[in-house]
Structure formats: C-alpha cells, structure tokens
Amino acid sequence: MATVHLRIGDLVWGKLGRYPPWPGKVVSPPKDLKKPRGKKCHFVKFFGTEDHAWIKVEQLKPYHAHKEEMIKINKGKRFQQAVDAVEDFLKKAKGKEQVSFSVTASLWPPQKHRNKEGQPASSMEPISKRLKIVEEDSGSTSIQAADSTAINGSITPTDKRIGFLGLGLMGSGVVSNLLKMGHVVTVWNRTAEKCDLFIQEGARLGRTPAEVTSMCDITFSCVSDPKAARDLVLGPSGVLQGIRPGKCYVEMSTVDPETITELSQVITSRGRRFLEAPVAGSQQLSNDGMLVIVAAGDRSVYEDCSSCFQAMGKTSFFLGEAGNAARMMLILNMVQGSFMATIAEGLTLAQATGQSQQTFLDILCQGQMASTFVDQKCQNILQGNFKPDYYLKHIQKDLRLAISMGDMANHPTPMAAAANEVYKRAKALDQSDNDISAVYRAYIH
C-alpha cells in the first residue's frame, strides 16, 4: 500500500481505538504534548468535538479520497453532523489559508456533559448518556447507553439524597460525575482531606459513615477490600449505626461473595435495602463516566439508582440475587489480571530474544488482540510510567479471591494461580501502589 504523506492542515479520516473513522484535521500539537516515541503518527483535531489525539499513520486516510466510502459505512446522525461540519469548514476556508473551526456540539465519543442550557459544562467533563433497560435472554437485565443522548445531552438526577463513602481512584471519579449531573451528594473518606475538593464542587461533608447514612436515602461505598467493607458497615460509627429503616445501602467494592452475603443479611435483617454494584474499569474510565456497573440484590434499589448509574457508567447489568455481581466481577478481574501478566511476559521475552518491544506492540495492535487496554498498558511499560490507573495490589487481591472462589466450586484456575504468583513477586518488589502494568517488573528483577 502506498504511503500517504500528510501535512498540517490536511483533512483526514482518523480511527481511534474501537470508534469508527471520524473526520478530522491534521494540526500542530501543543508544545507541551510530546509525540509518542517510536511511532509514525500525526496530531488530529476531530470535527464535531473538542477531542484530539495522536493517530498512527496507518489509521489515517485522506478525507476527499475516502469520503464516499466512509459515508456508506456510517449512517449515524451524529456522524452526518460531523461531516456537515467539515463541509461547512471547507466553505468558510475557501479562499483563505487559515480558518479556525468551531462546532456547536460534541458529536464524537467521548461526548461531554451539558448544562441545563444545552451547552458543554466543561471541555474536560465526561460523556453523558440516556440509558435504556434491556431484558436479556440470560434473565439478567442491563441498562445500556442509548444511541441518542438525553435532552440536551443530560440526565434528570434523582431527588433522593446520595451518600458516598470512599474517595479512592474509582470513588473520586464517581462522585465528581454524580455532582456534575446534579445529584445532592454527601461524602466521607477515611482521610478527610480528600473530601475538600468535592466540598468545593458542592458536596456536603459527613463526619462518620453513620452520619452519612443517617442523612441520605441511598449510600454508596467503594473501598479497597473485604475487611475495609466490613469495617465500614459493622465498625464504630459505621453504616449500621446510622442507616434507618427503608434506606438503601449500595456496596460498590470488589469483594468476595461471602462478604456480600454477610453485609446483605445484616442490612436487610434490620429493615434496610441492599444492593451490590461493583464496577469494571479504571481511574480514567471512572473520571470519564464510562464504567460498567455489575449489580445484584434488591431490584428496587437498582431502579432507584438509575440516574446515578447513568452519571457514572456507560452500561449496567442486574444479575439477580446478592453475591452474583461479586462472582462476576472477580471472574472479569481474574481474566484482566491474567491477561496483563501475559502481556508483560511477552514484552520481556521479546527483549530477551533480541526482538524489538515496540515492534511487538505494533504487530499486536494490528491483530485480533488489538485494544485500547493493550496499547495503553504496553506504552506505560515502554515509557516506564506506572502511575496507578488500577492498583496492582487490588488486582492481586482480586486474583486471590477468584482462586478461592474456584476452590470452593471445585473448579481449576491454573492460569489465575500462575498470574497471582507473578503479582505477588511484583508486590515483594514494592510495586503494590503502582499500576497493574508494573507486573512487568516482576519479570526483569
């Protein structure tokens, strides 16, 4: 295939991750934004959005030469509006060397939240979605992002008072999105200083978990492990001391099914309502409001949490009785953790056998295993950037719990067991508070 030579100002079709090709313009990158090492790419500003990104040359096509082809394969309304924006830009640019282009809406994922007047609330705010409930053949129910956004790209927040306990990597993004979408939120965190930013954004402060649950109709919790989850409910000034009959408690922590069963029984036995709703994702997806929520327990609580789940995630699933969500989430994280360990093993084996790690990544990202996850984690490794997006210590905890769950079901989990040993080695090398991609260091030390 002939090489396409592009320069600043050229109109292109750019493909980013799982999204379809989208019209954009090659522009000069900001001075403080470095080009990815070892990659042949151009910096592209996309039409119909405030988004921009480095795009590999093989993912770019000239706009005019491929216009008819792209229009045939994408019939969406937002796509057509983006194409119209390009055509409008061309009309305005006729006879001029430089014309700035602006658009009236964020039309390409990830979309931005909008305020009541229909305007973007901030260029850094995450996607907002209207959700629909879909009954699946499996008997589970999922709430999924609809093709079109809600009126003005917003949602209607519940009038129920929301409490949130735990402002870690995941909880912080969740609370931020709840506030941006208009929910009334009261927060508590073991390290009180973490609450300050959210108080500035409009949250209320609870001095103890008991106080939060006494003030709120629905209280969410998102903490690190089973012990922390139990302590939050059963400990001094804990949830159980403040939650009143009829109030709701939603456990979002990734824990074992036994912990969920215990918490569910102690909450419901006192006339309260319980839902588990662990989330699949990362800090970035939490910030972007793109988590996947896996829920189980009281169906009425799940429905009451609808606007909250819309604010924090792109999809949610209801899996029936309490404990099922914990089982599903442990399986999902077991697969992710094992996969990450295998990727790290491949990178180190490439290096050990004299192969280019960057070439290995480039080939991997062109095949069936291509994904944003693979690309981002491998880039982290190659750049030596292990800033946590999901803590290594937490994925090791999830692997351990998944293996234990397999033991109880008398089901073999040899791949997870092997991966768990690698993560344990990484923890011994002081990588616990780094990103899961730091498992790479277990292979090189």
Side-chain angles (χ1 to χ4, degrees):
M1 185 172 65
T3 302
V4 177
H5 297 285
L6 298 171
R7 58 186 179 180
I8 302 297
D10 285 350
L11 298 178
V12 294
W13 297 97
K15 186 164 183 3
L16 181 62
R18 62 185 176 85
Y19 301 115
W22 209 263
K25 178 184 177 185
V26 178
V27 298
S28 297
K31 292 182 179 180
D32 60 346
L33 190 62
K34 295 181 180 180
K35 183 178 180 181
R37 289 190 300 174
K39 286 190 174 183
K40 294 182 179 180
C41 52
H42 292 284
F43 194 73
V44 176
K45 173 72 174 70
F46 290 96
F47 281 86
T49 174
E50 295 177 3
D51 294 299
H52 48 263
W54 287 105
I55 307 295
K56 297 177 184 179
V57 292
E58 58 265 29
Q59 300 293 341
L60 293 170
K61 293 182 178 181
Y63 175 81
H64 294 288
H66 295 271
K67 177 181 174 182
E68 291 186 9
E69 169 193 345
M70 296 302 174
I71 290 177
K72 286 181 180 179
I73 64 176
N74 195 333
K75 301 293 185 181
K77 180 179 179 180
R78 290 176 291 175
F79 173 82
Q80 185 56 55
Q81 288 175 311
V83 173
D84 291 343
V86 179
E87 298 302 316
D88 185 54
F89 165 76
L90 289 172
K91 291 178 182 178
K92 292 180 179 178
K94 193 173 183 179
K96 301 178 182 180
E97 291 188 1
Q98 292 185 346
V99 175
S100 62
F101 66 96
S102 61
V103 293
T104 59
S106 177
L107 305 171
W108 178 78
Q111 295 183 49
K112 314 300 179 190
H113 285 316
R114 298 172 184 276
N115 59 25
K116 293 180 179 179
E117 287 72 39
Q119 300 301 317
S122 166
S123 63
M124 297 301 292
E125 291 176 359
I127 188 170
S128 61
K129 305 152 291 292
R130 176 169 59 86
L131 304 187
K132 58 184 179 180
I133 298 178
V134 181
E135 294 289 344
E136 298 187 333
D137 293 338
S138 63
S140 67
T141 301
S142 66
I143 297 180
Q144 300 178 334
D147 182 56
S148 59
T149 59
I151 298 174
N152 292 330
S154 188
I155 63 173
T156 302
T158 179
D159 58 2
K160 297 182 182 299
R161 294 164 296 179
I162 305 300
F164 205 96
L165 312 174
L167 300 173
L169 291 184
M170 307 296 278
S172 293
V174 168
V175 170
S176 181
N177 284 317
L178 288 172
L179 290 169
K180 287 171 183 174
M181 298 311 295
H183 295 83
V184 177
V185 185
T186 300
V187 296
W188 173 89
N189 191 71
R190 185 173 56 182
T191 305
E193 290 77 12
K194 285 191 176 182
C195 297
D196 293 345
L197 176 62
F198 301 100
I199 302 304
Q200 295 173 17
E201 292 181 2
R204 302 172 182 179
L205 178 64
R207 292 173 295 179
T208 65
E211 183 175 271
V212 172
T213 51
S214 69
M215 295 167 59
C216 299
D217 302 303
I218 303 173
T219 300
F220 292 86
S221 163
C222 188
V223 292
S224 58
D225 55 36
K227 183 180 184 303
R230 287 191 180 96
D231 289 347
L232 205 59
V233 174
L234 305 173
S237 299
V239 168
L240 210 58
Q241 303 300 315
I243 192 168
R244 299 171 183 170
K247 297 293 184 70
C248 308
Y249 187 66
V250 182
E251 182 57 80
M252 300 190 75
S253 313
T254 300
V255 297
D256 55 283
E258 292 71 33
T259 296
I260 290 298
T261 298
E262 178 184 352
L263 297 181
S264 175
Q265 289 176 349
V266 76
I267 293 289
T268 58
S269 66
R270 289 165 171 78
R272 287 73 169 170
R273 297 189 290 155
F274 179 86
L275 183 77
E276 58 166 332
V279 295
S282 62
Q283 181 185 35
Q284 186 59 56
L285 292 175
S286 178
N287 292 342
D288 291 344
M290 294 291 282
L291 294 170
V292 175
I293 300 105
V294 183
D298 190 322
R299 177 59 182 265
S300 67
V301 181
Y302 177 69
E303 293 170 351
D304 286 345
C305 291
S306 177
S307 73
C308 297
F309 290 158
Q310 291 177 50
M312 67 179 73
K314 65 176 181 179
T315 308
S316 73
F317 293 84
F318 183 77
L319 302 184
E321 66 180 19
N324 284 340
R327 295 181 184 95
M328 183 65 77
M329 189 55 58
L330 288 178
I331 295 168
L332 291 167
N333 285 357
M334 178 190 75
V335 171
Q336 177 176 271
S338 301
F339 184 42
M340 183 69 251
T342 301
I343 293 171
E345 188 172 297
L347 280 166
T348 52
L349 182 59
Q351 185 178 46
T353 56
Q355 304 304 304
S356 164
Q357 291 181 319
Q358 182 63 57
T359 301
F360 166 77
L361 172 58
D362 290 341
I363 295 171
L364 193 63
C365 288
Q366 290 300 312
Q368 291 180 315
M369 295 174 66
S371 69
T372 302
F373 176 83
V374 170
D375 188 40
Q376 288 179 344
K377 296 307 179 186
C378 287
Q379 289 298 338
N380 286 353
I381 291 171
L382 295 183
Q383 296 168 14
N385 173 22
F386 298 109
K387 180 181 178 182
D389 196 36
Y390 194 96
Y391 284 121
L392 184 143
K393 62 185 177 184
H394 289 169
I395 201 70
Q396 191 273 322
K397 174 261 299 182
D398 295 342
L399 281 164
R400 173 173 54 81
L401 294 177
I403 293 166
S404 177
M405 187 170 69
D407 289 343
M408 294 181 68
N410 196 29
H411 185 82
T413 53
M415 300 299 111
N420 186 45
E421 293 303 315
V422 183
Y423 282 99
K424 285 161 63 177
R425 169 64 176 161
K427 286 178 66 178
L429 294 168
D430 294 326
Q431 302 302 310
S432 290
D433 292 323
N434 282 334
D435 186 67
I436 64 172
S437 53
V439 69
Y440 173 84
R441 288 180 169 167
Y443 290 98
I444 60 176
H445 290 285

